[in-house]
Amino acid sequence: MKTLRWLFALALVAGCGWFAFRYLSPTPEQRIRKQLNSLAETVSIPAKVTPVKMMMLATRLPDYFTRDVQVEVQVPGEGRHTFGSREELMQVVQGAWSRNNNVKVEFLDINVKPQGETATAELTAKVSPGSGELWVQQLLFQLSHTNKEWRVARIEFVRTLR
Amino acid sequence: MTVANSSSPLNWKGFVFGRNPKRTAIRAVVLAVTSLLLFRFILLPVRIMGISMEPTYRNGTVNFVNRFAYRWHPPQRGDVVAIKTSGLHILYFKRTIGLPGETVAISNGIVLINDQPLREPWVRYREPWQVPPCKLGADEYFFIGDNRGMPQQQHEFGRAGIDRIAGKVLW
């Protein structure tokens, strides 16, 4: 009985140790996943957002992207459009923020493939406006590891049905 | 004479845990595990959002996706299937109209399969959609919604591989 108790305690300690290790030293995949979820949270606009909070979000947002980030948008019936820099992207996002309030952005089913200093992440973006129709789009992110951080270098729309 | 008080803690305990609490606990665990396995791996519960499958499926209704439907046979023309995006959280409900190797086109709202018009009793209204002919690959299917009364640009449709199919819609 005593041995059994010791074994149980040992397994418990080992389990806690493993979780602590995983928490303290996450894999690149976990880091990217966390970074993307944080990006989705930053892009979302809460219902009653104060100008100060809005300014804080706007300051935080560029940190998620590389300076020369490329975003390729494909709107049905309106063709393809590419944004070629972080500044241009920030203008677009801030423009969208000023037109809408209470928008929740979620990145679902994030499939990350790290390849050394770069990585790709395929995900489905779900944009739920406070009023209006839900918008869903499959996206492909390319990320690069710069200054110990994973930053988004490219975003492109993926057509689920071609 | 004794009168049983229905609100006594003893009766409530009996009502919640049964006469044999150990057996009740086992039943609860078996039920929970069965439900988890059933609704996670076999029948996916889904809530329909959007109008692209109207009038067959209404916005806001609930349905299930049978993930085992195509384990033993491929999708048939007319089957309504669930199509995966990057995972299973968001699925597209579409009708299978084109099978592997066929040429699919839409002319003035009429679907043409290998240049022959397709009879589609599930379509109620038709806008004059135009889609140039496209030949499907060996494992490709053509999917489209039943609501053809909406503008073509706002309707998600096209071809996808069999690996994109999450399952068949139950009813």
Side-chain angles (χ1 to χ4, degrees):
Chain A
M1 195 65 191
K2 205 174 172 185
T3 320
L4 205 69
R5 252 187 235 165
W6 267 106
L7 278 174
F8 180 73
L10 202 71
L12 199 71
V13 169
C16 289
W18 187 78
F19 275 110
F21 174 76
R22 289 298 298 266
Y23 182 76
L24 294 172
S25 59
T27 61
E29 199 179 324
Q30 286 170 314
R31 277 171 194 246
I32 291 168
R33 214 177 281 273
K34 197 175 163 191
Q35 181 85 342
L36 290 172
N37 283 326
S38 166
L39 169 62
E41 213 173 286
T42 308
V43 181
S44 302
I45 319 163
K48 286 173 187 164
V49 65
T50 60
V52 178
K53 170 89 178 167
M54 202 76 166
M55 225 163 75
M56 273 170 64
L57 292 175
T59 332
R60 263 172 59 189
L61 196 58
D63 295 343
Y64 292 97
F65 303 97
T66 60
R67 212 172 272 277
D68 56 349
V69 61
Q70 282 201 327
V71 181
E72 201 180 286
V73 181
Q74 205 172 355
V75 183
E78 289 184 31
R80 188 177 289 207
H81 187 80
T82 309
F83 306 106
S85 72
R86 191 160 64 183
E87 285 68 34
E88 202 181 344
L89 179 63
M90 291 309 112
Q91 278 175 10
V92 172
V93 173
Q94 283 175 10
W97 277 352
S98 64
R99 282 193 301 276
N100 304 287
N101 53 22
N102 191 15
V103 176
K104 190 180 177 196
V105 180
E106 288 170 276
F107 291 157
L108 305 167
D109 300 316
I110 306 173
N111 303 314
V112 182
K113 284 184 195 151
Q115 299 145 347
E117 291 299 291
T118 60
T120 58
E122 200 182 358
L123 56 87
T124 307
K126 180 181 163 193
V127 182
S128 325
S131 58
E133 230 178 81
L134 180 88
W135 184 75
V136 169
Q137 178 63 51
Q138 204 178 327
L139 300 171
L140 181 71
F141 279 67
Q142 284 178 16
L143 300 104
S144 66
H145 196 221
T146 45
N147 301 330
K148 295 180 181 173
E149 286 286 342
W150 284 98
R151 289 175 207 274
V152 179
R154 187 179 164 81
I155 305 172
E156 58 186 273
F157 279 36
V158 176
R159 289 195 65 187
T160 310
L161 297 172
R162 288 164 287 135
Chain B
M1 194 173 108
T2 54
V3 178
N5 183 358
S6 61
S7 64
S8 73
L10 194 69
N11 279 350
W12 271 110
K13 201 177 164 188
F15 180 72
V16 175
F17 298 108
R19 267 179 288 178
N20 187 341
K22 206 183 227 178
R23 189 180 288 178
T24 308
I26 292 168
R27 276 184 189 156
V29 170
V30 168
L31 188 70
V33 171
T34 311
S35 305
L36 189 83
L37 293 175
L38 181 70
F39 295 120
R40 202 180 165 90
F41 299 107
I42 302 167
L43 288 178
L44 280 184
V46 286
R47 188 155 57 94
I48 297 162
M49 299 182 91
I51 57 162
S52 76
M53 278 303 284
E54 284 196 3
T56 317
Y57 297 102
R58 298 260 172 218
N59 183 26
T61 52
V62 174
N63 210 313
F64 291 90
V65 174
N66 177 6
R67 299 211 62 203
F68 278 68
Y70 300 121
R71 196 141 280 235
W72 295 281
H73 67 85
Q76 307 292 305
R77 199 188 318 279
D79 283 0
V80 178
V81 300
I83 298 157
K84 283 188 260 184
T85 48
S86 61
L88 293 171
H89 275 95
I90 305 276
L91 301 164
Y92 284 113
F93 266 27
K94 299 288 167 192
R95 197 175 289 276
T96 313
I97 58 158
L99 303 177
E102 291 180 339
T103 301
V104 181
I106 302 178
S107 175
N108 287 321
I110 305 291
V111 173
L112 303 171
I113 305 290
N114 297 333
D115 289 331
Q116 296 299 312
L118 177 69
R119 203 179 70 83
E120 294 184 288
W122 45 79
V123 177
R124 196 168 292 175
Y125 309 107
R126 284 176 206 272
E127 283 289 308
W129 291 14
Q130 299 292 345
V131 176
C134 79
K135 174 126 174 109
L136 302 175
D139 66 341
E140 277 185 331
Y141 292 82
F142 199 96
F143 305 103
I144 195 165
D146 289 353
N147 186 356
R148 315 281 170 77
M150 63 191 287
Q152 186 180 340
Q153 284 79 16
Q154 291 171 19
H155 193 112
E156 193 84 26
F157 65 92
R159 57 196 166 137
I162 195 162
D163 55 320
R164 281 270 184 199
I165 299 174
K168 188 179 176 183
V169 176
L170 205 59
W171 64 75

